Structures are given as structure tokens and as C-alpha cells.
Amino acid sequence: MAREDGRNALPGPETAAQGPVVLSGSIERVIYANEENGYAICDLGTGDNSIVTITGTLPYIGEGDTVTVSGRWIHNPRYGRQFRVERCEKQLPADRAAILRYLSSGTVKGIGPKTAQRIVDEFGEEAFEVIENHAEWLTGIPGVSLKRAKAISEDFRNKAGIRTAMLFFRDFFGPAATVRIYKRWGNRAVELAKENPYLLCEEIEGIGFDRADRMAMQLGLAADSEARLASGVCYLLSVNAAQNGHVCLPRDKAVEAAASLLRVPRERVAEAVELLLRAGRVREAVFSDLHYLYGRTQFREEEYIATKLLLLDKVCPAADTANISAFIAREEHGSGMQYEKLQRQAIALALENGVMLLTGGPGTGKTTVVRALLHIFDSMELRIALTAPTGRAAKRLSEATSYEAKTVHRLLEYGGEEEGRPHFHRDENNLLEEDVVIVDEASMVDNQLMSALLHAVKPGAHLILIGDADQLPSVGAGNVLRDLIDSGRFATVRLTEIFRQARCSLIVTNAHAINRGEMPRLDSRDGDFFFLPRADDASLVATVVQLCAARLPKTYGEMAVTGTQVIAPSRKGEAGTGNLNRVLQAALNPPAPGKKEHLFREQIFREGDRVMQTRNNYDIEWERDDGSTGSGIFNGDIGVIEEVNRRNECLRIRFEDRYVSYAFPMLEELELAYAITVHKSQGSEYPIVVLPLGNIPSMLLSRNLLYTAVTRAQSMVVLVGRTEAVQAMVANHRPSMRYTGLCYRLRERDG
């Protein structure tokens, strides 16, 4: 039954209860289209004078397209009935009238209504064949040059390519994954996937080995084929290992892990490794008589880091010793303070060396050293770059030093992705002009980012890396700061003295106690560090909710409302971030009239929710209030949902001073952030940290995890849970095991 406006009424219960519904028709109007991920909202004419609004991944959709879509009916509270597309097939129109309408719509770049009419008049129903395969024939059309004809043909072929890709991959992946595949390989996507399906897991984000393997099996590839074995080993070394922080793997462990992953004998994997080594797709290094296997890119990055750091340390001109003493004395006089012995040593070594490492726990004066170095280098008329891995860390650094600090991505002028990896405009061909590069929170810098930074630092510049080496290592592969310190090749200062003002803070003194393997004080009833014992996870969770929703806001006001962050060791379990986010959302941001929300898979996203980006998205665009724009939201960035826009099917999210629109399919990159893991909290500080310590998996009962969590707090820490959990974490000084070769490379070099 059609409504008066031509749109069908809502389906009855019997229609809604059926499986996927199939509709066919032509696109009458494109309401919204996102070229990056293929998401679109369109009006579909179904041929019986009715119009249906369809939403979903509809890449390169255009008015006049003939489509067959399958999916389900949904009810948008504001816009009524819509059809959520789960699969889409596009067919080219076949008769002259439909071809003319398609070409006149502007779907093919370079063809407007007049040119479309002339093409159809000239070539009739063969128009598409001519455009795709005989572009030069179009030059007979008035106003169409050979250059324009080739551009028209190329655009048409691209759109034909995505149709082919959607048809081929529909049985293996969803539309969003197909768009990523096509954006990576273009019209060669189907050919490359057929030739070697395992390339998908090596080069396409979000497609793991298991998914590529299932596709390969359906295509009939043998379980012990060379392509499968080779790609399995490469995936293990370049993706799987990196997900666990490893840059390389011992050869015997790599062979064993690959045999388990591929479910084939170790001997077959060992043979595949030999072939890969000969082909250069896998690299090998020997450290302390042990053989390690690397992915090609990981080997190249680590080798470059070692080479460039030694070069920087060798060629940077040292300041005159007498001048250094004078600089420090003048800085002490100007600041009205006297530096502690190790601080003076750190300042001197930073001036004397090309590469200098500064580490130390909270309250030991690292920021004081940075301020002194900034003033001294500034007085020497040297250009300075102050940078940190995350936006929060850069902002905090700017506030502490009164100098502008940029994220490493912004400093290097991020320019999108190339072949699945970030591309920066600053590199060895476009070096940074700065004479001094100071990197804060260096423990968070992984191998990939350090390699990119070093490519851009000019020889002769000072590089100063500052961080807390006792914190958890970077989320990405590598353990750069720890490896550099352990190598013993660079000037290093570890600040140990806790300054008078910091000694008054139990956060600081307890953090240092934890780091020494001593139990923190848990009996304080005032100050900034509290422990609330709870015997079971149910009471622990109830206490955390009560703290966040009532007790802390009542006592500390707005600071607690906006500045409290729950940081948990684990995602899983009743006291893990998964469950905590559900109960905290219900308590802190419950549904209310006029407050819009959207259900994505099993997660509700509601206006006012705190959310976190869970992967690096280098291409997503943001805008500030002043109109400035840029791109890139990164793993761990936290924002607040400002608006749920049902009409355009997107969320508007504020990340501090940046605003970003997320189309609904992109919500797979977000999760609630009322509670976050300790790993995700790295590089950030929060006024108040609530740390639930309940039933924690044994692998997470570690000293550096507890130390990292406690040092995220600026004003207050509240531990909730079991004393036994605290004791177990303090007692376990098992460092995060990461396989890297950087320390060995540096030790073995002559310099």
C-alpha cells in the first residue's frame, strides 16, 4: 500500500519477520554519499511509482544506477521507514532512455547532459561499450578531446571495476571490506584476490588470516600450497607478531607458530621460510647466536632506526663545555631555582650530544629539564620542535612549557595512507628545519613512528627523547625507549630524586614504591590516594558506579564529572571494561526524551557518551571551531558524542577541539570510553583515576601495568578491589616480553 507521497507504508509484522528482502529499481536521488567508505543514503524507485529510502554501503552510487539490493526494513524514529542494505548489485541500464538518464546524471565524470545526449545519439545502446573500450571514438563528439575521452573512459572503468568487485567478494566479505579492497587495488582487485587470496590479510586492514583463508579454501586452494604457506608466514611476522608488540620472532618459535596457524607439519613451514628468505620477502638476523625472522618492512625500519640514531649522535656538533656551565648558571638565575645534580647532568648531556635519553618517574623533574633546555636552545637561536605521540600528551606538554607542542603526525605533516601505511610529507627528501627535536612520552613511540620521525630529522640536529621507561611499552610493535637505554650507546640520565612538592603526593610516593617492588600505602583516609577494599567483582562494580555517579561529583564537583576516568587492567570479566562501560553508561548517561541514540551491532551510542577511537584512521577529516581542518584520529583518542544525526546517518563527535563526523558503518572503529584499559590510557593523564582491581587474568598481574595506571592520575587515585591483587601485581616484575633486535644492532655497531 503506497502513501500519498509515493513512499510505501511500513511493512506489516509478517513482512518484518521474513528473512532478507530483495528490491530492484533505479536510483532516483543520492541524498548523501561518503566517498571514503562507500556509505550512502539514496532514494530508490522500484518501478511501481513508489520511492524507498535505502541506506548502507553503496560505493560509487549515482543517479540512474540500476540496482538490486537485499537487506531489511528498519524504522527511523524521525524519518520513518527505510531499507538497510546488506548487499548491493549494480547493473548497467540497457535501453537508450535508461542509458541517457544514467549518463546525464553526472555519475561518470566528464559527461554532462548535453554530452550524454550526443553520445547516445551517436552510439545508442553501444554507448557503454564505446566508453569503456574505444575511448578514441568519443573524439567525434563535439567538445570531447582525446584527453577528456580518456578521462571519461578511465572513470567509467573504475565504476565498472567496483561493480565487478562487489559481485565477486559478496560471498566472502561485507560491502565495507570490499570498498577497502577496491580502494587498495582498484580494478586489479578481483584478479589479485583470485591469484593469491592471502594478500588480503597482508595488505587490507580488518581482514585477518582466518577470513582470507576461508576464501582461499572456497576457491579451491590446497591447504599446503606455496601461496598459503608463504602468506601465512608473512602474516605471522608482519601482522600477528606486531599485534603482540614483537618486531621479529625467534626462528624456531616462528616456525612452530606458523605450523599451528596453518595446521601443517613444521617441515613444510621450514621449507616455506627458506623460499621466502631467498626471495627477500622474509629477512633474518642473528643476535647472540640466535636466529630471528622479520617481515621485510619491520627489518628495514629497525635497521634504519639504528643507523640514523648513530649518525645523529656522531655528527651533531657539541656545545663548548664552558658555555654549557654558563648556560645552566644563567638559567638557574633566571628561573630562581637550583637544579638537582642529575638535572644539571641531563641538561649538559643534551647540549653535548646528538642523541640524549632522559627517563624517570613522576615528580622527578623531567619537565623542569625540558623547560631549561627550551630556554637555553632558544637563547642559542636554535630552532626547536617539541612533540609527543598523542594529542593529549602534546597539549599537556604545551601547557607545562608554554611552548607549542605538536603531535608527531602533525610535525611530520601527515599526508594520508599509501599502500596501507601512513605517508608523511616530511622525510629524507623534505627534512625538518628544526635544529633540536624533543620528544616527550617517548615510551609510547613504536618502531614505525620512530622510523618515520628519524627519516625527517636532519643530520646535525639534537634529538632528545624523554619518557618513563618503567611504564608499559608502546601499543605498536617495538620497545624503542627501553632498547635505546639498554644498548648503552647514548647519553642517558635517569632522574631519581622526588622533589619536595611531589613528596606530599601519595600518588607520586606510592608510584615509586610500586616501581621498587614495595606495597603502596593503602590506609590513607585523606590526601590523593585511596583504597576501597571489595571482596568480589559484583560489589567492586557497584562501588565504581557509585563513585563515578555520586560520591566523587558530590565532593569534587565539575572536576569529577568531566575528569574521572576508570582504568581497568582487562577488557573481559565483570570488572573488565566491557561490562563497566555498560553499567557506567546506564548510570552516567541514561536514555532520556530528546536524547538521540543509535544501536550499532550490540552497542548503543547515545548523545553525551564518552567514546574512544580503537584504531588509527589517518584519513578521517576533522574541523575546528575556527574553520581550520585536518585529518587523522588515532588509536586511544577520546571524544564525546555531540549529535546523533539520523537523517544523514552519522555521529558528530568532539575530540577536545576537533569535530568529526562518523558515518554509521564507521562505528566499528569506536567503543565506549567510560572505562578504558591501562594500555589505552598510555600517554594521557586524568584529574581522577578509578582503578578496579578484581579478578584479573594472571598475565596482566604485573608491576609495570599497575605503575602505569597509577601514574595516569593528576589529582587523585582510587583503588577499588582486593589487596591480594595489589600484592600480586607489585610482586610480579616480569617485564613485557617483546622480541626486538634494536638493542642488539646498536651494541654490535662500531658507531
Side-chain angles (χ1 to χ4, degrees):
M1 176 179 176
R3 303 190 316 191
E4 290 184 3
D5 62 1
R7 298 174 184 265
N8 288 338
L10 282 169
E14 69 285 353
T15 305
Q18 295 172 357
V21 178
V22 177
L23 300 176
S24 295
S26 63
I27 300 299
E28 300 294 324
R29 181 168 66 113
V30 177
I31 300 169
Y32 170 82
N34 185 319
E35 291 188 5
E36 288 299 318
N37 57 27
Y39 181 79
I41 305 171
C42 306
D43 280 345
L44 176 71
T46 59
D48 57 355
N49 294 322
S50 64
I51 302 294
V52 172
T53 299
I54 63 173
T55 69
T57 302
L58 303 160
Y60 298 103
I61 202 74
E63 293 178 11
D65 274 338
T66 301
V67 299
T68 298
V69 294
S70 62
R72 57 190 176 86
W73 296 105
I74 62 171
H75 180 69
N76 185 303
R78 180 172 179 181
Y79 299 106
R81 185 190 73 156
Q82 294 182 340
F83 189 80
R84 178 68 51 80
V85 175
E86 296 169 355
R87 178 177 293 179
C88 174
E89 297 178 18
K90 291 203 293 186
Q91 305 90 30
L92 287 173
D95 61 79
R96 290 174 67 102
I99 291 171
L100 175 61
R101 184 166 181 271
Y102 177 82
L103 293 177
S104 298
S105 68
T107 298
V108 180
K109 293 179 181 178
I111 299 181
K114 290 184 179 179
T115 303
Q117 185 66 63
R118 290 167 179 165
I119 291 174
V120 173
D121 288 344
E122 180 70 23
F123 301 111
E125 295 177 358
E126 302 299 319
F128 292 149
E129 168 68 18
V130 170
I131 293 170
E132 183 170 6
N133 299 311
H134 304 285
E136 68 278 6
W137 294 5
L138 296 176
T139 57
I141 303 297
V144 179
S145 64
L146 182 59
K147 180 180 179 180
R148 182 181 174 189
K150 289 180 177 179
I152 289 170
S153 182
E154 181 181 2
D155 188 64
F156 183 85
R157 286 197 302 272
N158 285 338
K159 290 177 170 61
I162 189 63
R163 281 195 298 272
T164 302
M166 296 294 286
L167 286 170
F168 176 76
F169 290 111
R170 65 182 181 180
D171 294 327
F172 310 112
F173 311 114
T178 300
V179 171
R180 291 198 297 273
I181 296 168
Y182 186 76
K183 286 177 72 68
R184 176 70 178 85
W185 291 329
N187 291 337
R188 299 182 62 215
V190 173
E191 174 192 348
L192 289 172
K194 284 181 176 178
E195 184 179 307
N196 183 3
Y198 297 102
L199 287 175
L200 293 163
C201 65
E202 294 179 39
E203 300 190 24
I204 308 299
E205 184 180 3
I207 297 181
F209 181 82
D210 288 344
R211 296 177 74 188
D213 200 33
R214 285 195 295 272
M215 175 180 172
M217 295 300 100
Q218 291 183 51
L219 292 176
L221 270 72
D224 63 348
S225 67
E226 286 188 9
R228 182 172 188 263
L229 298 180
S231 289
V233 171
C234 288
Y235 175 77
L236 177 76
L237 293 174
S238 62
V239 180
N240 186 272
Q243 289 171 345
N244 293 294
H246 305 305
V247 179
C248 55
L249 291 174
R251 183 165 179 163
D252 58 341
K253 291 184 180 295
V255 170
E256 184 178 343
S260 175
L261 175 72
L262 297 165
R263 301 177 298 280
V264 297
R266 295 180 84 258
E267 295 75 18
R268 291 288 289 123
V269 174
E271 293 169 4
V273 167
E274 287 297 334
L275 292 174
L276 288 166
L277 286 168
R278 289 178 206 156
R281 292 181 63 191
V282 166
R283 302 294 299 273
E284 186 175 44
V286 181
F287 306 122
S288 300
D289 298 324
L290 288 177
H291 292 250
Y292 292 84
L293 296 181
Y294 287 79
R296 185 164 46 195
T297 300
Q298 288 71 26
F299 184 91
R300 185 171 62 245
E301 285 175 344
E302 189 176 84
E303 179 77 7
Y304 182 82
I305 291 169
T307 301
K308 184 64 176 283
L309 283 171
L310 291 172
L311 173 66
L312 288 173
D313 201 44
K314 184 177 181 179
V315 304
C316 183
D320 180 72
T321 305
N323 284 339
I324 289 175
S325 298
F327 278 132
I328 295 175
R330 189 167 67 241
E331 185 58 32
E332 284 182 324
H333 178 75
S335 63
M337 63 187 303
Q338 186 169 356
Y339 300 127
E340 180 261 336
K341 179 182 176 181
L342 286 175
Q343 289 180 317
R344 293 176 65 88
Q345 182 185 358
I347 296 167
L349 289 174
L351 296 170
E352 292 172 351
N353 293 275
V355 177
M356 186 266 179
L357 315 174
L358 177 63
T359 186
T364 56
K366 296 191 298 294
T367 302
T368 299
V369 173
V370 174
R371 288 196 202 101
L373 288 172
L374 289 169
H375 294 159
I376 292 171
F377 282 127
D378 205 16
S379 72
M380 297 168 65
E381 297 185 349
L382 297 179
R383 290 168 293 188
I384 307 166
L386 195 57
T387 187
T390 68
R392 280 178 174 266
K395 182 179 180 182
R396 193 173 68 249
L397 188 59
S398 291
E399 293 169 348
T401 63
S402 300
Y403 277 73
E404 182 188 15
K406 300 178 180 179
T407 63
V408 178
H409 282 79
R410 186 178 166 208
L411 177 69
L412 299 182
E413 299 174 14
Y414 166 76
E417 282 193 330
E418 290 185 359
E419 298 185 356
R421 296 174 66 81
H423 166 70
F424 299 100
H425 292 300
R426 292 289 184 173
D427 56 19
E428 64 273 17
N429 298 314
N430 184 24
L431 295 169
L432 294 167
E433 292 91 359
E434 285 82 2
D435 308 297
V436 181
V437 178
I438 300 176
V439 184
D440 196 22
E441 294 288 356
S443 64
M444 294 184 63
V445 178
D446 60 20
N447 271 36
Q448 184 184 100
L449 191 57
M450 178 57 74
S451 175
L453 176 63
L454 291 173
H455 272 86
V457 176
K458 67 181 182 181
H462 293 268
L463 177 65
I464 301 164
L465 302 177
I466 302 167
D468 188 342
D470 295 316
Q471 290 184 18
L472 293 171
S474 57
V475 175
N479 201 354
V480 176
L481 182 62
R482 171 56 64 186
D483 282 346
L484 299 188
I485 292 172
D486 290 347
S487 75
R489 292 303 300 266
F490 307 106
T492 302
V493 174
R494 175 185 284 272
L495 301 177
T496 55
E497 181 176 337
I498 304 174
F499 285 87
R500 184 182 307 162
Q501 65 272 27
R503 291 193 201 112
C504 300
S505 167
L506 263 183
I507 295 175
V508 173
T509 56
N510 274 345
H512 284 272
I514 291 166
N515 207 24
R516 294 191 300 266
E518 302 169 3
M519 275 293 287
R521 275 191 57 193
L522 302 179
D523 58 352
S524 174
R525 290 294 174 264
D526 54 18
D528 59 6
F529 195 105
F530 300 91
F531 176 65
L532 303 178
R534 296 294 183 269
D536 58 82
D537 282 2
S539 60
L540 180 156
V541 171
T543 301
V544 169
V545 173
Q546 186 184 42
L547 282 167
C548 296
R551 291 172 63 178
L552 290 172
K554 181 179 179 180
T555 306
Y556 300 100
E558 184 62 23
M559 180 183 79
V561 173
T562 59
T564 299
Q565 181 62 62
V566 178
I567 301 178
S570 176
R571 297 177 62 89
K572 299 178 180 178
E574 190 171 2
T577 59
N579 182 59
L580 283 169
N581 272 315
R582 285 190 289 272
V583 296
L584 287 168
Q585 182 192 43
L588 301 176
N589 190 32
K595 185 184 290 185
K596 297 190 288 294
E597 61 185 44
H598 175 68
L599 176 64
F600 180 77
R601 295 175 181 167
E602 297 180 358
Q603 177 62 61
I604 291 175
F605 291 98
R606 184 175 295 133
E607 290 175 344
D609 275 338
R610 183 185 295 180
V611 293
M612 172 182 281
Q613 176 77 13
T614 60
R615 66 179 69 161
N616 289 338
N617 186 328
Y618 298 99
D619 296 321
I620 193 168
E621 296 181 351
W622 49 258
E623 182 178 2
R624 292 193 174 100
D625 285 331
D626 62 8
S628 61
T629 60
S631 63
I633 298 294
F634 304 108
N635 189 359
D637 285 353
I638 291 178
V640 175
I641 298 175
E642 299 265 306
E643 179 187 11
V644 175
N645 189 321
R646 297 194 185 106
R647 176 61 178 170
N648 292 332
E649 298 211 353
C650 65
L651 303 186
R652 179 175 168 85
I653 300 175
R654 172 174 51 82
F655 292 91
E656 295 188 344
D657 62 343
R658 297 166 297 164
Y659 293 87
V660 183
S661 288
Y662 282 74
F664 284 171
M666 294 174 62
L667 299 186
E668 64 182 2
E669 299 183 9
L670 295 173
E671 61 184 30
L672 293 177
Y674 296 100
I676 63 176
T677 63
V678 180
H679 285 84
K680 293 288 189 182
S681 73
Q682 286 177 262
S684 297
E685 287 186 354
Y686 310 93
I688 300 173
V689 166
V690 176
L691 179 57
L693 298 175
N695 291 312
I696 303 170
S698 58
M699 63 181 295
L700 296 175
L701 289 169
S702 69
R703 185 185 303 173
N704 66 343
L705 190 141
L706 178 60
Y707 173 76
T708 301
V710 168
T711 54
R712 298 308 88 209
Q714 295 170 320
S715 303
M716 180 181 297
V717 171
V718 184
L719 269 60
V720 185
R722 298 182 299 117
T723 306
E724 296 82 3
V726 181
Q727 292 171 333
M729 297 178 85
V730 170
N732 180 12
H733 190 38
R734 181 183 69 242
S736 300
M737 181 61 209
R738 293 200 167 191
Y739 291 112
T740 74
L742 182 57
C743 180
Y744 296 106
R745 292 182 193 276
L746 290 167
R747 286 176 177 172
E748 294 173 0
R749 297 288 180 88
D750 294 330

